Amino acid sequence: GSTGGGGGGMAGGSCLLVSHALARLSAPYLLHFYPYVEEVGPKAPYYNCLIRARELVTTPRLLVALMTCLGIVVYVHGDLGLAVMLVAMTIGGSVLAGRMG
């Protein structure tokens, strides 16, 4: 993996790539497991498309998103254990977010 100066770890660009992939993983998880609350107001048409998007996030597509995210973290950092931990933390945060509404 790419290391920055100092005590090792990932360099800035690598961190941005990994964090972006992890952030994108929460959306399919939330859409798959939790119904989207219908919005009212001027932005309703924009956000209400997420209600229809839930039908598109099937279990196989969720698994593809999960495996893609794992693959990106492993490719960038070279550590499967770290990738599993980061993805598990992301899913855990998504579970909490989904339950809290």
Side-chain angles (χ1 to χ4, degrees), residues 62-83:
L62 180 61
L63 293 174
V64 167
L66 179 70
M67 298 308 294
T68 301
C69 190
L70 272 171
I72 289 171
V73 178
V74 170
Y75 178 77
V76 169
H77 194 60
D79 186 344
L80 179 61
L82 175 66

Side-chain angles (χ1 to χ4, degrees), residues 4-97:
M10 292 190 285
S14 299
C15 286
L16 288 173
L17 181 62
V18 167
S19 62
H20 184 79
L22 290 167
R24 294 297 170 253
L25 179 59
S26 63
Y29 175 84
L30 289 170
L31 283 169
H32 185 74
F33 288 106
Y34 298 97
Y36 195 80
V37 177
E38 192 167 353
E39 295 279 337
V40 292
K43 293 185 179 180
Y46 175 75
Y47 289 111
N48 287 341
C49 72
L50 293 174
I51 294 170
R52 293 182 301 279
R54 186 168 192 237
E55 300 169 7
L56 299 175
V57 184
T58 60
T59 300
R61 287 182 176 178
L62 180 61
L63 293 174
V64 167
L66 179 70
M67 298 308 294
T68 301
C69 190
L70 272 171
I72 289 171
V73 178
V74 170
Y75 178 77
V76 169
H77 194 60
D79 186 344
L80 179 61
L82 175 66
V84 169
M85 181 186 70
L86 290 174
V87 167
M89 289 173 58
T90 300
I91 295 297
S94 297
V95 168
L96 290 175

